[in-house]
Amino acid sequence: MIRREWLLGVGLISGGLGVGLASSAPAWAQNASAIGTVAAVKPDAFGAAPGAAEQTLVIGAGLVENETIRTTADGTANVIFADRSTLTVGKGSQVVLDKFVYDPATGNGGLALDLAQGALRFVGGKLSKGGNVAVKTPTATMTVRGGIALFYFPPGGGDGYAVFLYGQELKNETTGESIFRPGFAFKFPADGGPPVLIKITDEELANILKNFNTESGFAGRFPDQDLALLENNPDLINDLRKQIEEQTQTNNPALESLRQFIATNAIPDTNPYPSSS
C-alpha cells in the first residue's frame, strides 16, 4: 500500500496529478498574458496582478507575471505552468510570481518565485530539468533542478526550511552549497545565523506539511478517491516508474514507497521504457 504521508510530502498527488488531469483549456491558452492557471483552491486564497485590486482566486483563473498570491490561515492554492511545473501555496503564505518564460519548442526559459512568508511546495516541470527555476526566500535564493522541494518560512518568525524531496539538486545560490540527496534540507535559524545542512526529521516534515493539509499530522488523511486517481492512471504510473528507475537513492522513504506501490500494482506497463533510456 502506498504511504499517503509521503505522497503528501513529495506532492505527487497535488502536483503530479494536477498536471496530468488538469483542464484541457488552461487559462494561458485563452489569455496571451497569462503565465499560469489556478488548478485548485481552498478559501481563502487571493491574487493581485500588478496595479490591480486583489481578487479571490477561482479554478481556471489566469495568473500574470509579478502577480502576488496570498492565502489566509485556512487557504491554499495550486498553480500550473505551461512547462508542467506546479506549485502549491500553503496556508498563511505570500508568493510573488516574479517571472515565467518558456519556449515549448526548445524547452528554454526560466521561472522565478518570491516567497515572502509561509509555505511553498514546488514540483518541477521541463524548466527545472535545466536548473532554470529560482525560489527567493527571506534569507536566500534557491534553485531547483529536476526535482521537488518544500520551502517554509513561518509568518512572524521562526526557523525556516528548504527541503529537498526528490530530483537532482537543490542549491543555495547565496552560499553556493547544494543538496543532492533527497530527505535533506537547509535549515535557517530564527536568530539569523548561517543556514545549517540537516537531515529532515519526520517531526519537522510533519510540521511543514500541516501548512498544506486540511488535517494536521504527518499521516494526515487523504481522500481515497484522490488516491484512486493515481492508482488508475497508467500514464502517470509509467512516468513515475521511469523517474524512480533513474534514481539511485535507495534509502529514500518516498521513493521506496513508490517502488513498493509500482511493484504490487496491477496496472500493466502499457508504455514500457527501454532499460537503455
Side-chain angles (χ1 to χ4, degrees), residues 234-235 237-239 241-242 245 267-277:
D235 290 337
I237 293 298
N238 288 325
D239 185 51
R241 181 182 288 112
K242 181 180 180 182
E245 288 173 352
I267 297 175
D269 190 348
T270 57
N271 184 24
Y273 293 95
S275 57
S276 59
S277 61

Side-chain angles (χ1 to χ4, degrees), residues 87-164:
L87 65 90
T88 303
V89 181
K91 302 174 183 179
S93 303
Q94 182 172 312
V95 178
V96 178
L97 309 181
D98 277 346
K99 181 185 77 171
F100 179 80
V101 178
Y102 176 61
D103 182 350
T106 63
N108 294 330
L111 170 61
L113 308 168
D114 188 343
L115 174 64
Q117 68 174 34
L120 175 67
R121 174 169 49 199
F122 177 79
V123 181
K126 292 184 178 180
L127 288 176
S128 92
K129 295 181 184 299
N132 297 319
V133 175
V135 179
K136 182 180 179 182
T137 72
T139 57
T141 296
M142 320 294 293
T143 54
V144 183
R145 184 158 60 92
I148 301 171
L150 294 174
F151 303 90
Y152 178 56
F153 289 81
D159 293 339
Y161 293 85
V163 186
F164 185 48

Side-chain angles (χ1 to χ4, degrees), residues 148-225:
I148 301 171
L150 294 174
F151 303 90
Y152 178 56
F153 289 81
D159 293 339
Y161 293 85
V163 186
F164 185 48
L165 288 172
Y166 182 86
Q168 296 172 292
E169 180 185 20
L170 175 64
K171 183 176 182 179
N172 183 340
E173 296 289 345
T174 305
T175 64
E177 297 176 293
S178 292
I179 297 175
F180 301 98
R181 189 174 181 181
F184 284 75
F186 293 110
K187 183 175 181 178
F188 300 87
D191 62 8
V196 180
L197 179 62
I198 65 168
K199 183 176 182 179
I200 195 78
T201 67
D202 288 353
E203 181 179 2
E204 287 171 313
L205 183 59
N207 288 331
I208 296 173
L209 293 181
K210 289 178 183 179
N211 297 279
F212 298 100
N213 306 332
T214 55
E215 295 193 26
S216 63
F218 181 55
R221 293 174 59 84
F222 197 81
D224 288 339
Q225 64 267 28

